[in-house]
Amino acid sequence: MHMKYSSTDVAPHTSPRLRDNMPIPRTTLRRIPLGHTKVMVTDVCLGTMTWGVQNTEEEAHAQLDYAIKERGVNFIDTAEMYPVPSTDPRWVPGTTEKYIGTWLAKNRDLRPELVIATKVSGFQAKSDTVANRTEPAGEPAPARLDRASILAACDASLRRLNIDYIDVYQLHWPDRYVPIGAFYGTAEYDPKKERHDAVPIKETVAALGELIAAGKIKHYGLSNETTFGVCEFVRVAGGPRRPPPG
């Protein structure tokens, strides 16, 4: 097989750290624009949702070291509710973010080139994730995507991750009812599960715009969303105070 390298690529057996003296080595992983932004991410993203139940902190740090320092990955994805499964008796939401934060504390020189994405939880009638947004933890409360909830969740993630901004802040799932199999057991629409108190998308987008203006997040994105939902976010957004998803 013939492989072609550009001037910015590094052959697989070259030591990029020694050759280029870069914080994160350039390997054969491509760097591509993230969505419509100018943020460049590797085409491999490091998932983290097992850290804290299925993996220890030491194992999490070892995976970060290997993916970033050896393989050149610059993109990390996590969420405020991680680790999973939440049914495990050892589950404490926010643990995964804390493990990333303790690793970052030892690797500050790598932060500028890392793209860190995390997620705020969507609707849940009674949520331990919300309880763990404060230290010490409070009582379980509804998880929503209203302004106050988004601002509080972002501050909690920043604290646990030990950083002062989040590159990509995602809505983990919608506030309104959406028949997502992972949450409702089926992807079949059930009109009985519709709720009339869903937070307006306009309010959610405005809160995300506040976070961008404050420098706490760079961009935001959607997760577990429908085609209709994506179109609604784009339709509602517009202007400096209500930017569209990245």
Side-chain angles (χ1 to χ4, degrees):
M1 179 184 295
H2 177 70
M3 298 183 71
K4 183 178 180 181
Y5 296 92
S6 71
S7 59
T8 58
D9 290 329
V10 177
H13 300 296
T14 303
S15 175
R17 273 182 174 273
L18 293 176
R19 198 194 78 169
D20 293 333
N21 195 30
M22 297 177 64
I24 297 178
R26 290 298 185 105
T27 64
T28 53
L29 294 178
R30 296 182 304 152
R31 293 202 180 190
I32 57 177
L34 180 63
H36 298 291
T37 74
K38 295 181 180 179
V39 177
M40 299 300 290
V41 296
T42 48
D43 55 3
V44 173
C45 178
L46 178 62
T48 65
M49 67 182 183
T50 61
W51 301 352
V53 170
Q54 300 173 62
N55 291 111
T56 65
E57 184 173 15
E58 182 180 4
E59 290 169 338
H61 287 193
Q63 290 178 33
L64 283 159
D65 283 340
Y66 177 73
I68 295 168
K69 298 177 182 179
E70 300 298 326
R71 305 308 300 171
V73 173
N74 79 333
F75 193 12
I76 303 171
D77 179 73
T78 190
E80 66 165 343
M81 71 157 287
Y82 289 169
V84 297
S86 59
T87 54
D88 192 287
R90 297 165 295 176
W91 176 69
V92 178
T95 300
T96 304
E97 289 185 328
K98 286 185 176 180
Y99 286 2
I100 296 171
T102 54
W103 181 87
L104 285 169
K106 299 184 294 184
N107 294 275
R108 285 295 178 196
D109 60 316
L110 300 179
R111 174 61 182 111
E113 200 178 350
L114 286 171
V115 178
I116 298 175
T118 192
K119 310 180 195 75
V120 53
S121 296
F123 176 79
Q124 192 173 11
K126 190 176 182 181
S127 172
D128 288 318
T129 301
V130 173
N132 277 273
R133 288 174 183 166
T134 59
E135 291 185 350
E139 294 296 321
R144 305 301 304 266
L145 293 178
D146 60 289
R147 177 183 180 274
S149 296
I150 288 174
L151 300 187
C154 181
D155 284 344
S157 287
L158 288 169
R159 183 184 68 249
R160 288 189 293 257
L161 289 165
N162 198 20
I163 55 180
D164 54 11
Y165 69 92
I166 294 164
D167 296 276
V168 184
Y169 199 44
Q170 302 163 88
L171 309 180
H172 206 160
W173 64 88
D175 189 274
R176 70 189 191 285
Y177 164 64
V178 173
I180 302 171
F183 301 112
Y184 295 99
T186 177
E188 183 177 351
Y189 173 73
D190 182 355
K192 296 178 182 178
K193 294 180 179 178
E194 282 283 4
R195 302 188 339 272
H196 299 291
D197 66 339
V199 176
I201 289 176
K202 185 175 181 179
E203 179 179 348
T204 301
V205 172
L208 293 165
E210 282 188 53
L211 291 175
I212 291 174
K216 293 184 177 183
I217 68 173
K218 300 294 184 182
H219 307 278
Y220 76 89
L222 310 175
S223 176
N224 294 298
E225 186 53 274
T226 64
T227 303
F228 167 79
V230 173
C231 290
E232 276 297 284
F233 269 90
V234 174
R235 184 186 69 82
V236 169
R241 294 188 179 182
R242 293 202 306 273

